[in-house]
Amino acid sequence: QVQLVESGGGLVQAGGSMRLSCVASGRTLSTYIMHWFRQAPGEEREFVAAIVWMSGFSGVYADSVKGRFTISRDNAKNTVYLQMDSLKPEDTAVYYCAAARSRSDSYLAMSYWGKGTLVTVSS
């Protein structure tokens, strides 16, 4: 019932910025909490950030990206964004948009996934 499509990935130099987008659709979309995960080659899929569609709530972030990444959403466009600043080579990964009824740091708890978008940060 929920479809997610990421975009915005590509190649960027260390210290640069990039914004990822996740366009969501579904009849009960507003009942889901939106997450970003990432997975680097040979690494486990890790939580990046999460946000609810309701106003008045701040995003939740992994310690590794806190202060550099910002999650936001545009309800009118059914789109969630991940603004990534001060990028580091270790941020290189496939970034996935995901949705779940409850917030979780575990990829196993997600109900829906996008196909992912590759972010490559060069040094």
Side-chain angles (χ1 to χ4, degrees), residues 47-52 56-62 66 70-72 103:
F47 168 77
V48 176
I51 196 169
V52 297
F57 294 89
S58 300
V60 177
Y61 303 90
K66 198 169 188 177
T70 303
I71 189 170
S72 62
R103 209 209 71 73

Side-chain angles (χ1 to χ4, degrees), residues 11-19 68-69 83-89 91 119-122:
L11 177 64
V12 64
Q13 288 187 295
S17 298
M18 183 173 284
R19 188 177 77 161
R68 298 189 298 122
F69 290 12
Q83 177 66 44
M84 305 183 293
D85 299 318
S86 301
L87 283 162
K88 305 173 181 179
D91 293 319
V119 174
T120 302
V121 184
S122 63

Side-chain angles (χ1 to χ4, degrees), residues 16-64:
S17 298
M18 183 173 284
R19 188 177 77 161
L20 306 182
S21 298
C22 173
V23 178
S25 61
R27 301 180 187 87
T28 58
L29 183 61
S30 62
T31 67
Y32 287 86
I33 298 174
M34 307 303 297
H35 300 70
W36 285 99
F37 284 80
R38 67 184 183 184
Q39 187 168 25
E43 303 288 338
E44 66 180 0
R45 191 167 298 187
E46 67 173 350
F47 168 77
V48 176
I51 196 169
V52 297
W53 294 103
M54 296 178 291
S55 62
F57 294 89
S58 300
V60 177
Y61 303 90
D63 289 342
S64 59

Side-chain angles (χ1 to χ4, degrees), residues 61-118:
Y61 303 90
D63 289 342
S64 59
V65 306
K66 198 169 188 177
R68 298 189 298 122
F69 290 12
T70 303
I71 189 170
S72 62
R73 83 282 187 275
D74 185 335
N75 291 37
K77 296 181 178 180
N78 290 337
T79 301
V80 177
Y81 303 97
L82 184 67
Q83 177 66 44
M84 305 183 293
D85 299 318
S86 301
L87 283 162
K88 305 173 181 179
E90 50 262 47
D91 293 319
T92 295
V94 176
Y95 284 72
Y96 298 92
C97 182
R101 295 284 192 177
S102 300
R103 209 209 71 73
S104 178
D105 290 347
S106 174
Y107 70 91
L108 296 173
M110 302 297 106
S111 296
Y112 301 95
W113 292 92
K115 292 183 178 180
T117 185
L118 177 63

